[in-house]
Amino acid sequence: MPKSIRITRTGGPDVMRWEDVEVGAPGEGQARIRHTAVGVNLLDTYHRSGLYPLPLPTVLGSEAAGIVEAVGPGVTVVKLGDRVAYGGGPPGSYAERRLIPAQILVPIPEEVSDETAAAVMLKGMTSQYLIRRTYPVKAGETVLFHAAAGGVGLIACQWLKALGATVIGTVGSDAKAEIAKAHGCDHVIVSTREDLAKRVREITGGAGVPVVYDSVGKDTFLASIDCLKPRGLMVSFGNASGKVPPFDIGILAQKGSLYLTRPTLATYTASRADLEATAKDVFGVIREGKVKVEIRHTYPLAEAAQAHRDLEGRKTVGSIVMEP
Ligand SMILES: NC(=O)c1ccc[n+]([C@@H]2O[C@H](COP(=O)([O-])OP(=O)(O)OC[C@H]3O[C@@H](n4cnc5c(N)ncnc54)[C@H](OP(=O)(O)O)[C@@H]3O)[C@@H](O)[C@H]2O)c1
């Protein structure tokens, strides 16, 4: 029987269990895939901790690459033997095998490895919608991207640089600052010891930035708003430090008619056409060498709990991939 990392209750990494889980034949619209590489995302820790509640028990994980082993009735987008990847959809990627709605699978281009695909499907498509669609960044603009050395951050900052932007990134340590500088950041702010808004004003000659991409959440939300130009856009897309508390929208008026959005990848890839276009854009920048995917952390799938400890402990850089 295939093994999976499953939880029956929410909590710390210790609630994750390496267990046999039955995987049957695919139903209408489903495919069964054998995973070859599994991505790790901070999102998985929100599911595990209960910050984003899921029906229990559940297998964790929202990103992976693998081979299609069987397809159910009505499936047209993939066929037996296809090398495919996905980011998002119903959790369950921390598994040797699983059933999945075929609609969320995309073929992996020949020149992209399974490990790379598993490292970029969720993180790369998130970067794509944030910098190309939520706020389409233009050459010459200066933008602020938090957690610049993280999984999403390393991809997004290289991509922003390739678009011709000046990138200000935040990181939690000096070691991560060097890595962020080597991956697209023109300026790096070490958030654990520098005043964010003051540094952004210094870097931009007092003007502020037109957009802030903030995945840190609770600890940085208000300071991020202070970095914006009048009519700038605050993109709050994650909760690494905790959920942003309820917020007085009057502050948006006081700080210069600001905009605020709380986007999700699910909305931006809800249609098959959007999903395919987003994945194509991600594989495109990898092919062209604009975004280099460095996988600095690999774990056996059975040791997913350690991957979570390291990710939540701010010990990782870039993408994490697990081997089933
Ligand atoms: N809305 C969406 O569609 C969407 C989709 C994908 C991901 N996300 C969000 O994007 C963010 C990045 O995801 P990821 O998987 O690539 O993770 P990641 O960036 O590799 O890891 C999170 C990083 O957040 C930073 N951080 C700052 N304060 C922290 C704290 N108190 N505790 C822990 N980490 C802290 C750490 O970097 P430093 O040590 O350098 O500060 C840490 O490495 C997450 O917040 C995730 O929820 C959102």
Side-chain angles (χ1 to χ4, degrees):
M1 209 180 283
K3 295 247 187 219
S4 302
I5 292 284
R6 207 161 70 119
I7 60 166
T8 53
R9 60 187 172 91
T10 55
D14 293 348
V15 300
M16 298 157 81
R17 296 268 180 272
W18 182 235
E19 290 180 343
D20 289 340
V21 174
E22 197 160 334
V23 180
E28 177 86 29
Q30 287 185 324
R32 190 176 71 225
I33 58 178
R34 177 175 62 77
H35 287 139
T36 50
V38 176
V40 179
N41 291 277
L42 204 64
L43 170 69
D44 311 336
T45 71
Y46 306 157
H47 287 146
R48 191 211 67 225
S49 70
L51 181 70
Y52 291 178
L54 288 177
L56 298 176
T58 187
V59 177
L60 293 173
S62 295
E63 181 178 49
I67 307 284
V68 176
E69 279 192 334
V71 293
V75 171
T76 54
V77 290
V78 293
K79 60 181 187 329
L80 216 64
D82 279 358
R83 214 160 60 88
V84 294
Y86 62 92
S93 69
Y94 288 11
E96 291 174 335
R97 289 180 163 77
R98 75 171 294 187
L99 297 177
I100 191 158
Q103 278 298 330
I104 72 165
L105 299 174
V106 295
I108 304 173
E110 213 173 302
E111 59 276 39
V112 175
S113 71
D114 290 14
E115 288 71 23
T116 297
V120 299
M121 278 308 288
L122 199 144
K123 296 176 261 286
M125 292 203 298
T126 298
S127 303
Q128 196 277 353
Y129 87 73
L130 289 171
I131 67 175
R132 307 283 286 152
R133 293 191 283 154
T134 303
Y135 180 94
V137 175
K138 295 174 279 302
E141 289 184 312
T142 302
V143 306
L144 174 61
F145 206 102
H146 282 282
V152 174
L154 272 197
I155 297 169
C157 291
Q158 294 179 74
W159 200 334
L160 283 164
K161 190 73 196 155
L163 291 172
T166 298
V167 187
I168 308 173
T170 71
V171 294
S173 68
D174 290 298
K176 286 187 183 182
E178 290 311 310
I179 292 162
K181 275 188 198 148
H183 293 84
C185 287
D186 299 278
H187 307 274
V188 181
I189 299 172
V190 181
S191 53
T192 40
R193 62 173 163 78
E194 293 188 89
D195 180 324
L196 178 70
K198 186 163 161 262
R199 287 284 291 121
V200 168
R201 294 285 163 188
E202 279 168 12
I203 293 165
T204 58
V209 292
V211 63
V212 177
Y213 297 103
D214 186 340
S215 63
V216 175
K218 185 166 68 68
D219 288 357
T220 49
F221 184 82
L222 290 174
S224 291
I225 281 185
D226 278 332
C227 298
L228 285 166
K229 278 181 173 171
R231 294 197 282 161
L233 175 63
M234 170 70 180
V235 183
S236 175
F237 72 102
N239 325 272
S241 65
K243 223 171 174 172
V244 176
F247 166 73
D248 171 8
I249 60 166
I251 293 173
L252 299 176
Q254 288 161 21
K255 304 275 177 182
S257 304
L258 303 177
Y259 295 84
L260 167 65
T261 183
R262 177 56 179 89
T264 72
L265 177 62
T267 316
Y268 281 86
T269 52
S271 73
R272 181 75 196 169
D274 276 342
L275 172 67
E276 285 180 359
T278 309
K280 189 174 168 202
D281 214 4
V282 171
F283 289 132
V285 289
I286 292 170
R287 261 200 203 115
E288 291 163 21
K290 291 176 178 168
V291 172
K292 294 194 173 57
V293 182
E294 290 174 35
I295 302 163
R296 296 181 180 225
H297 311 271
T298 55
Y299 301 78
L301 178 56
E303 290 168 25
Q306 191 55 44
H308 277 213
R309 282 186 201 104
D310 293 346
L311 179 59
E312 290 177 295
R314 303 170 76 163
K315 290 184 183 152
T316 65
V317 163
S319 299
I320 305 170
V321 171
M322 299 189 294
E323 293 148 0

